[in-house]
Amino acid sequence: MFAADRLKVKPSALTLEQIDAGLVSAFLEHLEDERKNAAVTRNVRLPAIKSFFRFLEYRQPAALEQIRCVLAIPFKKTDTRLVPYLLREELQAVLDAPDPATRDGIRDRAMLHVAVCAGLRVSELTGLKVDDIDLPSMSIRVLGKGRRERTLPLWKPAAAALRAWLAIRGQVATPEVFVNARGEPLSRWGFAYLLRQHAATVARKQPGLARKRVSPHVLRHYLPRPTMSGSFSFAHNSKGLCDNM
């Protein structure tokens, strides 16, 4: 749409020769200046364009110089932001927020405990299946990025919360562990929404939470250590994996 508007031609009339480095650079500037996209978003768009031109370089030898110029367009430098973090009291409050007297509360408590203990990505959590749980040893099998499989142990609080949910989950058609009221798999957006709701609930008691964005990504950057009382103590872990029991 940008190229068609800038060159005053229909999209179907665009030719490869017209999509040169100057046009691509103008599009990237348009993203920042007109659409108010951040530099990070600009840098996400550029690899897609470069990928297309790498595809072309084996099929359009006559355009190699044009392709070379597009591939030479640099990425824009951006600031690296630290992952937000929660204090021990704040994270413990979020884990305790779901009501254990309700079905949804039992499910949410199990999800939060498993997410934090195992350092799961939200897709790994929502994709966890009943067959991935080893009840005798209370460990879970996770299929992560690149279809890499790993087995993770659960500590007592997480294991207890998961057992409580499995006891009332009932027989549903879907194999995923965590389901909604209709028996359908809970989506990643559904989990993020529930997490925000619980964080907002406890923000009244933990004022610091009101100034923080509590997301699934924040949860997986903690290494929980169970205490004798069954509560958690936490230390920051860049990998988010539990490897101590």
Side-chain angles (χ1 to χ4, degrees):
M1 291 175 61
F2 173 82
D5 181 67
R6 188 177 182 88
L7 299 173
K8 307 303 180 183
V9 298
K10 293 182 178 180
S12 59
L14 285 171
T15 63
L16 175 60
E17 291 74 17
Q18 293 173 300
I19 308 175
D20 57 13
L23 183 65
V24 174
S25 296
F27 170 67
L28 297 175
E29 292 175 3
H30 166 76
L31 291 178
E32 292 190 84
D33 298 339
E34 302 297 329
R35 297 179 60 177
K36 306 303 181 184
N37 289 156
V40 173
T41 303
R42 173 196 185 277
N43 287 345
V44 170
R45 300 291 181 268
L46 183 54
I49 297 172
K50 288 188 174 185
S51 178
F52 172 63
F53 276 84
R54 289 192 187 96
F55 167 81
L56 290 176
E57 66 180 330
Y58 292 99
R59 292 162 176 80
Q60 298 289 337
L64 283 178
E65 181 60 24
Q66 174 189 350
I67 293 170
R68 184 189 65 80
C69 292
V70 172
L71 294 180
I73 296 174
F75 290 95
K76 195 164 188 177
K77 291 184 178 180
T78 60
D79 294 330
T80 301
R81 294 184 298 175
L82 293 176
V83 177
Y85 66 92
L86 302 181
L87 301 177
R88 179 183 62 82
E89 296 81 4
E90 294 170 345
L91 188 50
Q92 188 67 58
V94 172
L95 290 173
D96 294 338
D99 185 358
T102 66
R103 176 183 173 84
D104 287 350
I106 294 173
R107 178 202 60 196
D108 294 356
R109 181 165 289 206
M111 284 196 300
L112 291 173
H113 273 274
V114 172
V116 174
C117 175
L120 299 183
R121 298 179 179 87
V122 64
S123 58
E124 295 170 345
L125 179 68
T126 56
L128 188 67
K129 296 179 173 56
V130 174
D131 290 342
D132 295 330
I133 302 173
D134 186 350
L135 285 175
S137 66
M138 281 316 298
S139 62
I140 58 175
R141 184 176 66 252
V142 178
L143 190 63
K145 283 187 175 180
R147 301 194 63 80
R148 291 191 294 270
E149 189 176 282
R150 64 187 190 274
T151 300
L152 302 170
L154 298 179
W155 297 329
K156 289 182 180 180
L162 186 55
R163 280 197 181 98
W165 165 242
L166 292 175
I168 65 168
R169 176 180 175 275
Q171 296 296 324
V172 294
T174 183
E176 281 77 13
V177 174
F178 300 111
V179 296
N180 58 25
R182 299 183 298 275
E184 300 169 347
L186 197 68
S187 69
R188 57 190 305 171
W189 298 278
F191 174 68
Y193 170 79
L194 293 171
L195 175 59
R196 289 195 302 270
Q197 292 294 102
H198 292 307
T201 298
V202 299
R204 292 187 292 271
K205 297 180 180 179
Q206 297 287 340
L209 281 173
R211 300 188 296 271
K212 297 179 179 179
R213 182 175 178 270
V214 183
S215 68
H217 186 64
V218 172
L219 292 187
R220 72 180 299 261
H221 279 264
Y222 280 83
L223 172 66
R225 296 190 178 97
T227 63
M228 294 300 292
S229 63
S231 63
F232 282 117
S233 63
F234 299 89
H236 186 268
N237 175 17
S238 61
K239 294 182 179 179
L241 300 178
C242 297
D243 44 26
N244 294 317
M245 292 188 67

